[in-house]
Amino acid sequence: MDAADFAVVRRNMLFRDLDEALARDIVGDRSPRAYAKGQVLFLQGDRVDGLHLVVSGWVKLYRATEDGVDTVVAIHGPGQSFGEAAALLGAPAHAGAEAATEARVLTIDAERVRARLTADPDIAFRMLASASMHLRVMVEELERLKSLPATRRIAGFLVELAGDARGAVELEFPYEKTLIAGRLGMTPESFSRGLAKLREHGVGVERERVSIDRIETLRAVARGDLA
Amino acid sequence: MDAADFAVVRRNMLFRDLDEALARDIVGDRSPRAYAKGQVLFLQGDRVDGLHLVVSGWVKLYRATEDGVDTVVAIHGPGQSFGEAAALLGAPAHAGAEAATEARVLTIDAERVRARLTADPDIAFRMLASASMHLRVMVEELERLKSLPATRRIAGFLVELAGDARGAVELEFPYEKTLIAGRLGMTPESFSRGLAKLREHGVGVERERVSIDRIETLRAVARGDLA
DNA sequence: GTCCCGCCTTGATCGAAGTCCAGCCGGGAT
DNA sequence: ATCCCGGCTGGACTTCGATCAAGGCGGGAC
């Protein structure tokens, strides 16, 4: 694994403030594996063999409901990990994972982590922190979905993408709009209409390119201060 | 703390398969504290002093959105714990906690758990399991909210309350309908109408008493097999 | 090049749930 | 007992988003 990849790994909660040597030791000689778009990492109910950490690209987690429709539960990008708890506990995955774009994902051997864990309980704290963060994100998502109108949810998504940028922002959608719509809990049609409505707040969309005149305006929309 | 209370504690994920002596040791000499309905355990953003475990009654976790409305994130009953990760990490709570009914809650000192954790890494696994379960519940809730019609969500709630009972079931709502409605992500009015619609599937409601002719029928409704 | 297929957009319609409102009922206080 | 008050129910109306349906556009296969 090269230095650039390792830098991404270190952005993850689990490894962020971990001792460099220990971090390398845990990763071992594993290298990220490349997945084609649409390729399945594991299915819902599968026993997960290790912790997954996205190095590049995006991976979607989804659950199949009885009637065949699947709902997107989360989408993870570079530096984000998933399936930690399931892997460590040897429990079946409660969601399936599939590459949403071309992606490279590092799989870290659960057994190896477990071994290091008994040696250094601090690792356990990090894993808890990681799980806790997932929980927080989930809760926020839930809160958003509970009542916010589509336009606000979309504005929120764009704001998240923009990070802490100021003023005019140019960015591009990381994956298909259909998928974004699913993640935001709406149909592609509603997503499209919502984006159209955001035009009056200085948002321009052309294919996957998005230009935002003033990100602050959008933040206001996301907060609900602006219609 | 008496034996009955301790039995409830042991139903919790964290303590379920833990060695009896160790479990008692972790709890220490703490006793459950009684809270009146509406009393606040901690506020969103507070530093949490310990793990909370509900012994009796119900505690709601809620988040205040900017516009003053709060959304109910989760409601925990006997044997369920919350705030584990926050307490252990010393992070601020991402939700506030308030007694939804009269409730008794055991607060377990985080420092004490942390100390035991270095001694027995197995505890870390249990905490992860606990966090992971919370996550799963959250994910399922999210999935439900994403698309299911009100009636199905209500049916699902009743089924959950009924546990694995069969045939005719009598039960009562654990807390106000308004609160249940909030948890299910709908208004009290919608909840009321939804319950009314369930009458045609053999559900009778009188104040907080609910009588279900055949729980299996309700399971079918929750699954979507029945309109 | 042309054709086709997915993805996206837009329009029209419909239904489910939210809002606003009025009335009911039961419990607690006086 | 009577009066409130809070929680619940149900009606009327409205609004948001899903569904159905019809194109547009671009990219890949040939």
Side-chain angles (χ1 to χ4, degrees), chain A:
Chain A
M1 179 160 59
D2 67 26
D5 287 351
F6 192 70
V8 175
V9 170
R10 298 226 62 182
R11 270 164 41 198
N12 183 270
M13 286 236 67
L14 248 167
F15 296 100
R16 179 160 294 168
D17 310 300
L18 213 60
D19 184 72
E20 167 97 17
L22 184 54
R24 286 202 180 273
D25 180 44
I26 290 176
V27 172
D29 56 359
R30 297 282 195 124
S31 280
R33 180 172 159 196
Y35 294 88
K37 175 178 166 178
Q39 200 174 342
V40 171
L41 280 78
F42 54 80
L43 294 171
Q44 180 173 347
D46 276 2
R47 196 161 291 281
V48 185
D49 51 330
L51 290 66
H52 292 76
L53 199 162
V54 181
V55 175
S56 69
W58 297 82
V59 174
K60 73 170 176 182
L61 298 189
Y62 60 96
R63 283 170 56 91
T65 46
E66 320 74 25
D67 43 353
V69 187
D70 40 75
T71 55
V72 179
V73 171
I75 299 182
H76 294 292
Q80 296 187 288
S81 54
F82 56 92
E84 301 100 329
L88 232 73
L89 301 164
H94 49 265
E98 177 186 314
T101 62
E102 275 190 20
R104 287 181 313 123
V105 179
L106 180 65
T107 304
I108 299 172
D109 185 45
E111 198 49 62
R112 200 179 179 96
V113 177
R114 209 174 296 160
R116 298 302 177 282
L117 197 140
T118 51
D120 185 353
D122 189 46
I123 297 173
F125 281 102
R126 291 182 197 295
M127 299 218 41
L128 271 172
S130 180
S132 157
M133 206 205 55
H134 278 179
L135 199 61
R136 161 193 256 93
V137 170
M138 214 88 253
V139 163
E140 273 159 12
E141 198 127 334
L142 202 145
E143 177 183 316
R144 275 200 291 227
L145 282 173
K146 260 193 176 166
S147 57
L148 301 190
T151 316
R152 276 184 70 178
R153 296 209 296 267
I154 297 172
F157 178 78
L158 290 177
V159 166
E160 196 180 309
L161 269 189
D164 52 3
R166 296 165 180 231
V169 182
E170 292 277 328
L171 46 84
E172 56 185 55
F173 290 122
Y175 32 82
E176 284 98 343
K177 296 184 188 174
T178 307
L179 188 52
I180 301 177
R183 178 184 156 173
L184 295 177
M186 65 185 77
T187 59
E189 292 95 321
S190 293
F191 182 68
S192 180
R193 285 185 239 277
L195 275 179
K197 199 169 288 178
L198 284 178
R199 273 205 282 265
E200 60 197 50
H201 294 297
V203 176
V205 179
E206 190 167 343
R207 301 204 56 69
E208 74 276 352
R209 310 269 327 146
V210 185
S211 59
I212 300 165
D213 290 353
R214 285 186 65 253
I215 187 69
E216 292 81 5
T217 311
L218 221 50
R219 290 214 180 85
V221 174
R223 273 199 314 271
D225 296 348
L226 241 58

Side-chain angles (χ1 to χ4, degrees), chain B residues 149-150 185-187 189-190 193 207:
Chain B
M186 66 185 76
T187 59
E189 291 96 324
S190 293
R193 285 186 237 277
R207 301 205 54 69

Side-chain angles (χ1 to χ4, degrees), chain A residues 63 65 71-72 85 88-89 94 114 124-125 128-129 132 135-136 138-140 142-143 145-146 182-183, chain B residues 63 65 71-73 85 88-89 94 114 124-125 128-129 132 135-136 138-140 142-143 145-146 182-183:
Chain A
R63 283 170 56 91
T65 46
T71 55
V72 179
L88 232 73
L89 301 164
H94 49 265
R114 209 174 296 160
F125 281 102
L128 271 172
S132 157
L135 199 61
R136 161 193 256 93
M138 214 88 253
V139 163
E140 273 159 12
L142 202 145
E143 177 183 316
L145 282 173
K146 260 193 176 166
R183 178 184 156 173
Chain B
R63 282 171 57 89
T65 46
T71 53
V72 178
V73 172
L88 231 75
L89 301 164
H94 50 266
R114 209 174 297 162
F125 280 102
L128 269 173
S132 157
L135 199 60
R136 163 194 254 91
M138 215 89 252
V139 163
E140 272 159 12
L142 201 148
E143 177 182 316
L145 282 173
K146 261 193 175 164
R183 177 182 156 174

Side-chain angles (χ1 to χ4, degrees), chain B residues 141-222:
Chain B
E141 199 127 334
L142 201 148
E143 177 182 316
R144 273 200 292 226
L145 282 173
K146 261 193 175 164
S147 56
L148 300 190
T151 316
R152 275 183 69 178
R153 296 209 296 269
I154 298 172
F157 178 77
L158 290 176
V159 166
E160 196 180 309
L161 268 189
D164 53 3
R166 297 163 180 236
V169 181
E170 292 278 328
L171 46 85
E172 57 186 53
F173 291 123
Y175 32 82
E176 285 98 342
K177 295 183 189 174
T178 307
L179 189 53
I180 301 178
R183 177 182 156 174
L184 296 178
M186 66 185 76
T187 59
E189 291 96 324
S190 293
F191 182 66
S192 179
R193 285 186 237 277
L195 275 179
K197 198 169 287 178
L198 284 178
R199 273 205 283 265
E200 60 198 50
H201 294 298
V203 177
V205 179
E206 190 166 343
R207 301 205 54 69
E208 74 276 351
R209 310 271 325 148
V210 185
S211 59
I212 300 165
D213 289 352
R214 284 187 65 253
I215 187 69
E216 292 80 6
T217 311
L218 222 49
R219 290 215 181 86
V221 175

